[in-house]
Amino acid sequence: YPPEWTNASGKMVVVANDMGKTWEAMEALVGTGKTRTIGICNFSTQLIRQLLSTATIRPSTLQIEVHPHNAQSKLIRFARECGLAVTAFSVFGPSSYIELDMACDNDLLMTDPTVVDVATAHGKSPAQVLIRWAMQRNTLPLCKS
């Protein structure tokens, strides 16, 4: 697991968390002018519904992992129906997960035959194709190599 998921002994520890209180604290930041908008990350449809049922200030953005191997079309559609913009991370695929043994070389999109073929056919790089794929789906891609 990534280091931030474990304690000093290397064990994963579940910490009790009240999402409602956390969201109220974030809403308070908007109230004090310390931020203008607040958003959510890695929320499922169920968590979005739960949050929206009590939120005074709706989240502006849902940030999720999105790429051709993990399109998340239903979650994106639901988020849009709720008025949330969708920010896509890992648009180049889960390359950062390889060093954590949570993905393998076959998961790399920069060398995916379909992506490479499309890039070659259009005189673009695989990265440009993947960014364009995310943008054409009306998501806001966060690019990191």
Side-chain angles (χ1 to χ4, degrees):
Y1 295 107
E4 64 272 13
W5 291 5
T6 58
N7 64 14
S9 303
K11 305 248 190 245
M12 185 179 283
V13 179
V14 177
V15 178
N17 180 26
D18 183 335
M19 184 177 64
K21 289 188 186 220
T22 301
W23 192 255
E24 285 176 13
M26 293 175 67
E27 289 175 328
L29 294 172
V30 175
T32 61
K34 292 186 178 176
T35 189
R36 291 182 295 188
T37 61
I38 47 180
I40 52 180
C41 182
N42 293 330
F43 270 45
S44 64
T45 299
Q46 182 178 0
L47 286 176
I48 295 170
R49 286 178 197 263
Q50 182 181 345
L51 177 66
L52 293 178
S53 72
T54 60
T56 302
I57 300 172
R58 297 172 69 87
S60 62
T61 302
L62 169 65
Q63 185 180 98
I64 53 175
E65 179 179 352
V66 177
H67 49 76
H69 289 175
N70 187 20
Q72 304 215 53
S73 299
K74 291 179 182 177
L75 179 56
I76 291 171
R77 183 178 65 236
F78 179 76
R80 289 208 181 101
E81 288 170 359
C82 293
L84 281 68
V86 177
T87 303
F89 68 81
S90 293
V91 294
F92 298 152
S95 57
S96 60
Y97 292 114
I98 290 176
E99 64 191 59
L100 301 171
D101 290 327
M102 295 172 70
C104 62
D105 288 340
N106 292 341
D107 296 316
L108 293 175
L109 290 172
M110 295 294 208
T111 57
D112 180 275
T114 302
V115 173
V116 172
D117 288 349
V118 170
T120 302
H122 294 279
K124 303 294 180 184
S125 70
Q128 288 173 306
V129 168
L130 293 165
I131 293 167
R132 178 73 179 253
W133 178 87
M135 292 180 69
Q136 284 184 296
R137 298 180 80 230
N138 200 26
T139 60
L140 308 166
L142 298 176
C143 304
K144 177 182 144 189
S145 60

